[in-house]
Amino acid sequence: METVVSGIRSTGKLHLGNYYGAIQNFVKMQHEYNCYFFIADLHSLTTHPTPADLHGNVKQVLVEYLAAGINPETATIYIQSDVPEVAELYLYLNMNAYLGELERSTSFKDKVRTQPDNVNAGLLTYPVLMAADIIIHKATKVPVGKDQEQHLEMARTFGNRFNRLYNRDVFPEPYAFNFSEKLVKIPGLDGKGKMGKSEGEGNAVYLSDPPEAIRKKVMRAVTDSGPTVENQKKPEEIQNLFDIIKVVSSPDTYTHFDHLYNTCQIRYGDLKKQLAEDIIIATAPIRERINDIANDTPYLRQVARHGAIKARESASKTMREVREIIGFKSF
Ligand code: TYM
């Protein structure tokens, strides 16, 4: 059976982008593959969280994984830092990851631009840690959003390089995966770019947002003054809303508003009202479970312990092989 690995950084509440890019696929894939889903708390250290924030955010993601329907009996759910073998493999892979290729990564260049006073080595080698996460379980499929595609390419590079260096076939090639064939990019509500945690208030709809907050955010989404020519191309902010409708609403709803737009009869207020209600319906089952699960500390503890044991079993098996290949042998 093919192995699947994916993770989400523990930087706070999960939003619709995380859900449609990643989690929805986790839930479906758990029945068909050998799945490992983790909470990337080591990756989140690049932004220097306080100990309390770090712990709270790890819990938040764990709760939302479970609320979304990932079954800890079916898939392995674990916290990245509970599996120290990942950090070990990251160290080995770092020896064959080169400055030039790391500096060329789009996500690194973005960070240099957006946080120029915190360009740390962890950011530079972020894709190496991500490669370690994936190849330590010898995964071939990685459910992620479009923004992670380049990281997957780098994971293949680092795995292949290790194989070539030692002339062994240890790591298979991992590929980004989405059930809908194409990788997904959910846009934000602010008219530009993707939905993201660090894009400012109002850009993201969170899975834990109450219905009133969802209505407010969607009604405030950026729009233009409306089409004036039939069948005109939609400007970015309008296309973004249609992109969200495409994943959240029914195909009929999409066709209905697309027709109104193309015939210059659209009223954005109506579109937003419908979109808000559809988001509320789509997220209801998750939202309703979040509080109950968050209050069940013994259950969370049990899930994390059980996941760590299963993940370490798989990771340490690979690491025994890797150490021996590298030449770490006892006398
Ligand atoms: P992160 O935490 O930024 O995002 C988690 C997942 O959500 C997806 N995503 C989106 N998909 C579509 N549209 C959006 N607007 C959107 N925003 C976020 C991301 O593509 C991702 O799948 N580096 C990873 C975490 C990670 C990881 C891994 C993933 C660490 N190690 C190993 C897979 C395998 C990250 O920062 O994702």
Side-chain angles (χ1 to χ4, degrees):
M1 198 197 280
E2 272 185 279
T3 297
V4 170
V5 169
S6 196
I8 294 190
R9 246 176 321 145
S10 52
T11 42
K13 302 176 285 187
L14 303 186
H15 52 70
L16 288 184
N18 299 136
Y19 184 68
Y20 289 103
I23 297 180
Q24 194 184 44
N25 291 280
F26 298 2
V27 175
K28 286 193 198 169
M29 291 177 101
Q30 62 183 341
H31 304 294
E32 293 178 35
Y33 300 98
N34 177 28
C35 290
Y36 294 87
F37 300 127
F38 66 95
I39 298 149
D41 56 348
L42 298 176
H43 278 103
S44 77
L45 295 179
T46 57
T47 54
H48 308 156
T50 65
D53 282 350
L54 178 65
H55 181 71
N57 287 338
V58 168
K59 179 178 171 186
Q60 179 91 24
V61 179
L62 177 60
V63 166
E64 295 191 10
Y65 271 3
L66 296 165
I70 306 174
N71 180 346
E73 299 302 323
T74 314
T76 300
I77 304 180
Y78 64 100
I79 296 154
Q80 188 185 29
S81 62
D82 279 343
V83 183
E85 290 81 2
V86 169
E88 185 186 350
L89 181 58
Y90 164 62
L91 188 149
Y92 303 153
L93 295 177
N94 266 329
M95 303 301 167
N96 297 296
Y98 293 95
L99 184 60
E101 63 189 341
L102 296 172
E103 279 176 336
R104 276 194 300 279
S105 134
T106 318
S107 61
F108 179 69
K109 286 197 273 190
D110 281 352
K111 296 289 179 196
V112 171
R113 207 166 27 81
T114 54
Q115 51 179 73
D117 40 7
N118 181 23
V119 184
N120 58 62
L123 273 181
L124 184 72
T125 57
Y126 186 105
V128 186
L129 180 54
M130 191 162 152
D133 290 325
I134 298 167
I135 69 180
I136 203 158
H137 300 297
K138 304 196 176 189
T140 48
K141 284 192 164 55
V142 185
V144 283
K146 179 97 184 129
D147 60 326
Q148 299 296 319
E149 209 169 16
Q150 193 184 30
H151 287 154
L152 263 294
E153 196 184 321
M154 295 174 86
R156 288 192 291 278
T157 301
F158 299 136
N160 283 333
R161 196 172 286 161
F162 187 94
N163 288 348
R164 240 182 297 117
L165 184 67
Y166 294 102
N167 199 19
R168 293 282 291 270
D169 211 7
V170 200
F171 299 118
E173 287 193 322
Y175 284 89
F177 180 88
N178 188 292
F179 260 103
S180 69
E181 303 286 313
K182 271 180 39 195
L183 297 180
V184 176
K185 176 190 149 188
I186 304 295
L189 293 175
D190 55 2
K192 44 188 188 321
K194 66 168 183 173
M195 187 171 287
K197 281 170 246 185
S198 45
E199 313 296 326
E201 219 7 68
N203 160 287
V205 175
Y206 295 101
L207 299 178
S208 52
D209 276 346
E212 237 356 274
I214 296 176
R215 288 192 189 101
K216 228 186 231 165
K217 284 182 185 175
V218 175
M219 294 316 283
R220 284 193 192 142
V222 177
T223 48
D224 65 355
S225 51
T228 49
V229 180
E230 295 214 338
N231 298 314
Q232 77 180 64
K233 187 174 178 314
K234 300 182 183 84
E236 188 184 358
E237 65 273 24
I238 304 302
Q239 184 59 51
N240 286 352
L241 290 180
F242 276 90
D243 285 351
I244 304 179
I245 289 183
K246 198 163 222 160
V247 294
V248 175
S249 306
S250 71
D252 285 353
T253 303
Y254 183 89
T255 315
H256 171 71
F257 286 108
D258 193 45
H259 172 73
L260 291 177
Y261 185 88
N262 286 332
T263 50
C264 303
Q265 302 175 74
I266 193 150
R267 291 202 317 223
Y268 291 134
D270 294 346
L271 175 145
K272 288 175 169 178
K273 259 192 210 133
Q274 180 71 44
L275 176 58
E277 293 316 308
D278 289 344
I279 294 176
I280 291 166
I281 292 169
T283 50
I286 304 174
R287 187 170 44 250
E288 284 159 11
R289 301 220 295 255
I290 287 178
N291 276 344
D292 282 348
I293 298 175
N295 290 327
D296 194 347
T297 306
Y299 176 60
L300 294 174
R301 190 179 304 132
Q302 185 230 320
V303 168
R305 281 195 187 154
H306 179 62
I309 291 170
K310 285 204 288 177
R312 286 198 76 179
E313 230 168 68
S314 157
S316 54
K317 190 162 166 241
T318 305
M319 291 314 288
R320 274 196 294 277
E321 200 184 344
V322 164
R323 282 186 213 118
E324 152 133 30
I325 289 173
I326 291 179
F328 294 133
K329 290 181 190 164
S330 47
F331 292 100

